């Protein structure tokens, strides 16, 4: 079976490419390098031991995407391609709506023209907004997003749902990721954020490597055990394997299904800093700073549905997440540059 990974040069896509190849799938990657580097593709091929086909195309470009489908014969798609920076999405909402939604619509049109019926979509826990309760189940209300990025995820979930209602042979799996961190255990591929990282883990590792002076801990007055924000951090390789499990499910079912991909365990910002220092023996200077606008106190998954239906659960520990992040960061202080 041949699977197209849109955005497969990116952080999650590159790790998922390796897991799909390990599981025996043929893959094709399409990416326009708007937030990734050719070096990531080179290293992913090297780690996988397979020279999978790569297309440097914008998924919004229907002609080029159609040519890819004609040349490759695609059986299923994992749609990672999208812009993902929350803050930037508030500055450039139209760019976010255009790229994320157009790419999905074009992809669906091309899939329809070629009779490709299976799609797995990279959604996010951000569709839950501020949850009423934690842990969050898939049945919790969605759409109360606090930024344009989150709304693109919510709208795309609706679009994919409508497409599956209209075509009873389609299989759509919506994966709501919690907080992906870590890197391949080789340290050869990992997260390479452009500019100053927004997310906690890359900020911690860039501080540890000396690229940033100190970490600002955003808020220490939340109603959490130590006052700092709590999230569900999941190792990117566990997350990648969740996609392989979801593809098995999509091959055997039609309709729309949604799964949280998280560990089910919440850790605070200070838990993460302490775990990183303990696992790596490298110091991470930090100071407390005001809350970041739009942040919520606690967000972690109820991960039982994926376990029961997909037979998948996260296996890697917090120590694995910290060790592998450091392996990548210390060997590649400037990312892929
Ligand atoms: P990433 O930016 O590393 O990867 C996305 C890739 O898509 C990049 O390589 C980028 O160049 C490519 N891309 C963007 N628009 C494109 C287009 N129009 N045509 C072709 N390629 C395009 O991000 P990631 O962290 O690997 O995230 C992958 C997906 O998962 C995204 O959809 C993201 O919104 C979603 N997600 C990520 C997180 C996270 O914390 N990393 C959490 C929840 C959901
Ligand atoms: N955070 C922080 N300092 C940073 C980046 C993040 O204290 O430099 C906190 C943030 O307030 C949140 C947690 O770390 O409580 C995770 O933030 P991230 O941006 O990684 O994920 P998200 O908020 O999108 O879940």
């Amino acid at each position: 079976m041949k699977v197209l990974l849109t955005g497969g040069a990116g952080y999650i896509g590159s790790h998922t490419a390796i897991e799909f190849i390990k599981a025996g799938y043929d893959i094709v990657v399409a990416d326009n390098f708007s937030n990734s580097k050719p070096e990531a593709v080179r290293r992913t091929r090297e780690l996988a031991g397979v020279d999978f086909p790569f297309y440097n195309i914008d998924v919004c470009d229907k002609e080029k995407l159609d040519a890819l489908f004609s040349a490759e014969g695609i059986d299923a798609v994992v749609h990672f391609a999208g812009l993902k920076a929350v803050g930037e999405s508030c500055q450039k909402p139209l760019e976010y709506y255009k790229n994320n939604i157009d790419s999905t619509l074009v992809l669906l049109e091309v899939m329809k023209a070629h009779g490709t019926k299976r799609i797995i979509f990279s959604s996010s826990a951000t569709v839950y907004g501020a949850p009423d309760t934690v842990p969050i189940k898939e049945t919790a209300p969605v759409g109360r997003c606090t930024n344009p990025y989150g709304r693109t995820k919510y709208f795309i979930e609706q679009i994919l749902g409508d497409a599956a209602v209209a075509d009873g042979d389609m299989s759509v799996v919506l994966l709501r990721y919690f907080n992906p961190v870590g890197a391949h255990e080789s340290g050869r591929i990992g997260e390479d954020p452009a500019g100053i990282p927004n997310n906690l883990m890359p900020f911690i590792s860039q501080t540890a490597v000396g690229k940033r002076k100190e970490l600002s801990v955003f808020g220490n007055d939340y109603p959490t055990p130590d006052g700092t924000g709590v999230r569900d951090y999941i190792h990117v390789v566990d997350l990648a394997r969740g996609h392989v499990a979801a593809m098995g499910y999509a091959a055997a079912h039609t309709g729309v299904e949604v799964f949280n991909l998280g560990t089910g365990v919440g850790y605070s910002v200070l838990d993460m800093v302490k775990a990183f220092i303990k696992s790596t023996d490298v110091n991470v200077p930090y100071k407390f700073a005001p809350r970041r606008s739009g942040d919520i106190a606690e967000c972690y998954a109820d991960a039982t549905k994926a376990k029961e239906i997909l037979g998948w659960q996260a296996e890697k520990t917090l120590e694995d997440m910290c060790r592998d992040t450091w392996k990548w960061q210390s060997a590649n202080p400037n990312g892929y540059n």
Side-chain angles (χ1 to χ4, degrees), residues 28-51:
V28 177
V29 170
D31 202 297
N32 65 357
F33 295 128
S34 57
N35 195 39
S36 53
K37 306 263 166 52
E39 179 63 9
V41 177
R42 200 187 68 71
R43 293 191 192 181
T44 304
R45 282 175 168 154
E46 187 183 281
L47 287 169
V50 175
D51 263 345

Side-chain angles (χ1 to χ4, degrees), residues 93-251:
L94 302 186
E95 239 176 72
Y96 271 67
Y97 287 121
K98 191 161 177 54
N99 186 70
N100 293 4
I101 293 175
D102 266 12
S103 62
T104 307
L105 292 175
V106 166
L107 179 60
L108 285 171
E109 284 171 351
V110 173
M111 285 174 64
K112 188 173 179 189
H114 289 265
T116 306
K117 303 285 186 184
R118 277 170 236 154
I119 180 165
I120 294 177
F121 174 61
S122 298
S123 190
S124 166
T126 192
V127 298
Y128 297 118
D132 298 326
T133 51
V134 282
I136 309 173
K137 279 187 183 298
E138 287 84 350
T139 47
V142 291
R144 302 184 299 197
C145 310
T146 53
N147 56 73
Y149 163 71
R151 274 186 282 279
T152 69
K153 293 294 175 194
Y154 171 67
F155 292 153
I156 293 167
E157 285 198 359
Q158 306 305 308
I159 291 167
L160 288 167
D162 288 340
V165 168
D167 178 351
D169 294 332
M170 265 191 93
S171 179
V172 171
V173 180
L174 309 173
L175 298 179
R176 295 184 183 145
Y177 309 158
F178 280 67
N179 290 59
V181 296
H184 191 266
E185 63 180 7
S186 64
R188 294 286 291 153
I189 59 170
E191 187 170 12
D192 182 18
I196 301 169
N198 293 304
N199 295 113
L200 178 65
M201 203 52 158
F203 207 105
I204 289 178
S205 60
Q206 288 197 7
T207 305
V209 87
K211 279 187 81 174
R212 314 274 158 214
K213 192 167 131 267
E214 62 189 354
L215 168 74
S216 291
V217 176
F218 298 142
N220 61 346
D221 56 353
Y222 284 108
T224 59
D226 64 19
T228 66
V230 167
R231 298 289 184 276
D232 185 337
Y233 298 92
I234 175 167
H235 195 295
V236 65
V237 171
D238 276 334
L239 188 77
R241 291 175 182 157
H243 293 72
V244 177
M247 189 56 80
Y249 178 87

Side-chain angles (χ1 to χ4, degrees), residues 43 186-189 209 324-337:
R43 293 191 192 181
S186 64
R188 294 286 291 153
I189 59 170
V209 87
D324 294 340
T325 299
W326 184 237
K327 197 156 189 192
W328 154 253
Q329 182 71 70
S330 54
N332 305 273
N334 297 311
Y336 291 112
N337 283 334

